Amino acid sequence: MKRFENILKRIGPLPLAMAVVALVLIIVSGLSYDGQVASHSFWSAIVAVFTRAILGASSWFGNNYGMGIILFTIFIRFLILPLMVYQVQSMMKMQVVQPALKALQAKYPGKDTESRQLMMAEQQALYKDAGVNPFASMLPLIVQMPILIALYQSIWNSPVLRSGKFLWLQLGSNDPYYILPVLAALFTFASSWLSMQSNPEQNGMTKAMPYIFPVVIFFSALAVPSALSLYWVVGNAFQTVQTFFLQNPFKLRREREAAINLEKEKQRKIRKARRSKR
């Protein structure tokens, strides 16, 4: 319980309040739809909740199903915002302990069982002292995967959504002009690039990820209905703005440079004080 309270304090009241408001709006949008959506199991009931929420939000715009998906996407992004904040905070703490982790790897270069066990024990102690959860970065992904699957199924299980139109799109079919896949890839690149720039220590894999993810998203968006591509575009645009505010690399770089300069100035004064004593 105490650990849960500490996590809530780290996240802060504003993201939590936004998540509560988003949840209420999802419920209200679902109640706004007065039609019937079939559900025969626990999972189909979840899909039905998504379908009703999208259709209900669409009714607010004269049954514009594209606008319903956009609004539903924004609700979902605000709903998982506390998880994203927690993820970013954990990632930034992981960046701080990276030098200590490298020191541990240098301390236990052997690959025997005893060395690995000693390194793991000290690594766990380091994580505990720093308040770091190395698996926190997986939480948003774990949460979003069922959402994507449920959204996909809600589109295919709803003839209304599948036959809906939005701008040039037939929501149940692929984007014929590839505009949504390109936008989804661009926003994915922007978000990944900002996140990479905020990391003070970059390796080959870190530098490659902003270029790999957009390619994966682009080809995935080519193969799915436009409704799902629309979800990715709006969600990744939201993610880009969110990353800029939570992991502003330009601000973090200035802060790191200021800290380095402050430490250099401190060491300079210490050396000067030692020379004056001589």
Side-chain angles (χ1 to χ4, degrees):
M1 180 62 71
K2 187 175 180 181
R3 184 177 180 181
F4 182 69
E5 290 176 355
N6 290 335
I7 291 174
L8 293 181
K9 287 180 181 179
R10 282 174 54 185
I11 293 173
L14 185 58
L16 292 171
M18 289 180 174
V20 171
V21 172
L23 179 60
V24 170
L25 289 172
I26 290 173
I27 294 172
V28 170
S29 60
L31 294 174
S32 299
Y33 181 66
D34 55 5
Q36 295 294 323
V37 179
S39 61
H40 309 289
S41 63
F42 176 76
W43 177 250
S44 65
I46 295 176
V47 174
V49 169
F50 279 45
T51 304
R52 291 184 65 89
I54 295 172
L55 293 173
S58 302
S59 68
W60 301 346
F61 298 92
N63 291 329
N64 187 321
Y65 302 115
M67 288 301 300
I69 291 171
I70 291 172
L71 202 58
F72 176 78
T73 304
I74 294 171
F75 292 163
I76 290 294
R77 297 302 303 192
F78 275 116
L79 182 63
I80 66 173
L81 182 59
L83 287 178
M84 302 303 295
V85 172
Y86 181 64
Q87 177 199 35
V88 168
Q89 291 177 345
S90 296
M91 287 174 58
M92 293 178 72
K93 285 188 175 183
M94 280 292 293
Q95 292 169 9
V96 172
V97 301
Q98 280 302 314
L101 287 174
K102 288 184 177 181
L104 281 179
Q105 292 170 357
K107 182 179 178 181
Y108 300 104
K111 296 184 178 181
D112 56 283
T113 304
E114 184 180 359
S115 293
R116 287 199 299 268
Q117 289 177 344
L118 289 171
M119 187 178 73
M120 287 295 294
E122 291 197 31
Q123 194 176 65
Q124 291 299 322
L126 178 64
Y127 287 150
K128 185 177 180 180
D129 292 340
V132 171
N133 183 352
F135 302 106
S137 60
M138 298 174 62
L139 278 174
L141 179 62
I142 293 172
V143 171
Q144 286 189 78
M145 283 307 296
I147 291 174
L148 284 172
I149 296 171
L151 180 62
Y152 183 88
Q153 292 186 357
S154 69
I155 294 165
W156 282 109
N157 293 341
S158 172
V160 176
L161 284 177
R162 196 166 61 246
S163 61
K165 294 183 179 180
F166 179 66
L167 299 177
W168 69 93
L169 304 168
Q170 185 78 33
L171 293 175
S173 304
N174 302 43
D175 182 350
Y177 305 116
Y178 310 124
I179 294 174
L180 290 185
V182 169
L183 288 177
L186 287 175
F187 284 126
T188 301
F189 171 79
S191 174
S192 301
W193 184 85
L194 286 171
S195 182
M196 180 195 71
Q197 292 299 312
S198 67
N199 192 340
E201 296 190 16
Q202 300 174 13
N203 52 37
M205 179 60 69
T206 305
K207 292 179 179 179
M209 293 314 287
Y211 302 95
I212 295 174
F213 280 153
V215 174
V216 173
I217 288 293
F218 174 77
F219 284 104
S220 298
L222 288 177
V224 299
S226 298
L228 196 56
S229 298
L230 183 60
Y231 173 86
W232 277 338
V233 169
V234 178
N236 291 341
F238 188 102
Q239 176 79 14
T240 300
V241 176
Q242 173 186 278
T243 302
F244 180 80
F245 281 103
L246 295 181
Q247 296 174 263
N248 188 331
F250 311 108
K251 180 182 177 182
L252 290 174
R253 192 173 297 169
R254 289 195 300 268
E255 290 175 350
R256 291 189 188 112
E257 290 175 354
I260 292 171
N261 292 333
L262 185 63
E263 181 62 25
K264 287 181 179 179
E265 181 63 20
K266 180 181 176 181
Q267 294 299 325
R268 188 187 67 80
K269 289 181 179 179
I270 292 173
R271 290 194 296 270
K272 184 177 180 181
R274 288 174 177 172
R275 286 196 298 268
S276 62
K277 288 181 180 180
R278 295 175 184 173

